[in-house]
Amino acid sequence: MAGVLAFTVACSPSTANSTDDAAAVDSTKIDEFLLPPEDAESFAAEPGTPVTAPIQGGTVSLPYTHVLPLPDGPIGDPEKTYTFCFSQALTGSTWAVAQQESVMIEAARHPNVKVLYYNTNNDPLKQVADLESCLAQKVDAFLIWPHSVEPLTPEIEKLNQAGQVVIGMERTVATRDYDTWIYLDHRKATADMAEAIGEQLGGKGTVVETDGALGSSPQILWRTLLAQNLREKYPDIKVEYTAPTDYSRGQGYKVALDFLQSRQGEEIDAWFTQYSEIGFGVAQALEDYDRTDIPHFTVVDGKVATQAAIDGTFFAISPWTPIHGDVALRAAIYHLTGEEVPHDLALGQPPLITPETAPGELQRTWPG
């Protein structure tokens, strides 16, 4: 945990000095647990039959139905109801809603499956309390999208040591004490993004980065790995940092305005946001400040963000699918029914979405 804690401290400026931040990134080693182990079993997306999204409406195609497949019908003992605790890190986000929908779609295929849905409202201590509540209710398995590393690592280890089936997804914690974890590919995503930024800037200039929730694994990994890739491939690109956000549009707008009014805001060649919802807030600030000429790069697709790439709001988007909750539920079912399942699963990273490729991707992406 030392590396995680050191990096959390290093990432807490309001409008950070880029030189100091670069030194902090250079001296910080990412905790090995935040990335998938080398032997993680990898799967590419294979969009399945479109189904109706139960909350947001419209249609959605689950891209990983071929991973740990299950037939329709009851699981395990058909006379027993199996109860699953699904704990999410964030509310008020179409990404979180789509992740929940993917669990709901899978659960609906099995009449003796019951899912208890918990959402932290972006509060890691509430998430710990929710998990304790599930433990007291003697659920059969836990599906966890953890808020942040430091508070959730010991709780997940506690559940594992208590003999609970623990399945994690997307965000990571500093342990391997779980039954199965579903990883997305930060290494490839950050390398692709660094390449796109470097090409757009011609290898020289200043890119501003706006982070998500401090101490969450995507905030740590995007900030560190993107900086490393830029430094290795484009050493003449400097990175400045705004204050972090809670991954919301409103916080994106606020921190962008603060940055644009600061000394660092005078020279900006590109802007990178760790989530497209943050990006929409930043885009509004750039418009209000008459700086719409700045190319904007972001993470997380969905129909709204993909359309924004077509409209020119985003220069490139790193796809970051929330449609993996069904895989987590099936992994838990496999464990409960004695089926073999890998300890670590890695979901393949699609290419960046650009204004040129966005029209085709708009037909394939999730509803958010």
Side-chain angles (χ1 to χ4, degrees), residues 1 27 33 46 57 67-68 87 139 151 155 160 242 343:
M1 286 293 291
S27 64
F33 296 119
E46 296 179 9
V67 181
L68 309 179
S87 175
V139 300
E155 182 64 20
N160 177 266
T242 71
H343 189 251

Side-chain angles (χ1 to χ4, degrees), residues 91-207:
T91 189
S93 159
T94 57
W95 198 96
V97 171
Q99 186 188 54
Q100 179 180 340
E101 287 179 319
S102 63
V103 173
M104 295 171 71
I105 291 166
E106 182 64 33
R109 300 175 58 233
H110 311 292
N112 61 338
V113 162
K114 177 182 178 181
V115 182
L116 306 178
Y117 295 95
Y118 290 86
N119 203 305
T120 70
N121 196 25
N122 214 29
D123 180 350
L125 298 184
K126 182 180 184 302
Q127 186 166 34
V128 171
D130 289 343
L131 294 171
E132 289 293 319
S133 175
C134 286
L135 182 62
Q137 295 177 69
K138 302 186 186 308
V139 300
D140 293 288
F142 290 80
L143 315 177
I144 305 173
W145 180 43
H147 177 276
S148 47
V149 178
E150 185 178 356
L152 272 301
T153 296
E155 182 64 20
I156 286 170
E157 290 179 329
K158 175 184 174 180
L159 293 174
N160 177 266
Q161 291 162 9
Q164 303 299 309
V165 172
V166 177
I167 311 298
M169 65 200 88
E170 198 268 322
R171 294 189 186 186
T172 51
V173 291
T175 185
R176 297 276 189 242
D177 291 343
Y178 49 77
D179 291 278
T180 294
W181 209 279
I182 298 160
Y183 292 85
L184 273 61
D185 193 346
H186 281 91
R187 288 190 181 96
K188 185 175 190 306
T190 53
D192 290 350
M193 185 60 71
E195 190 67 27
I197 293 171
E199 288 183 0
Q200 174 63 21
L201 299 189
K204 179 183 293 187
T206 298
V207 57

Side-chain angles (χ1 to χ4, degrees), residues 204-215:
K204 179 183 293 187
T206 298
V207 57
V208 176
E209 179 171 343
T210 299
D211 290 4
L214 206 63

Side-chain angles (χ1 to χ4, degrees), residues 292-332:
T292 56
D293 58 315
I294 297 171
H296 190 160
F297 302 79
T298 194
V299 185
V300 178
D301 44 336
K303 291 193 182 298
V304 175
T306 303
Q307 181 62 52
I310 296 172
D311 298 339
T313 301
F314 299 129
F315 190 85
I317 301 171
S318 180
W320 206 250
T321 182
I323 311 297
H324 53 247
D326 59 313
V327 182
L329 179 54
R330 291 196 299 274

Side-chain angles (χ1 to χ4, degrees), residues 9-46:
V9 172
C11 290
S12 55
S14 55
T15 48
N17 178 279
S18 62
T19 303
D20 292 343
D21 269 347
V25 170
D26 282 341
S27 64
T28 302
K29 180 179 182 297
I30 295 174
D31 192 301
E32 62 175 327
F33 296 119
L34 300 190
L35 290 165
E38 293 298 327
D39 62 352
E41 192 164 343
S42 182
F43 295 89
E46 296 179 9

Side-chain angles (χ1 to χ4, degrees), residues 74-87:
I75 65 167
D77 180 355
E79 301 301 317
K80 175 183 176 180
T81 296
Y82 293 84
T83 303
F84 299 81
C85 176
F86 177 40
S87 175

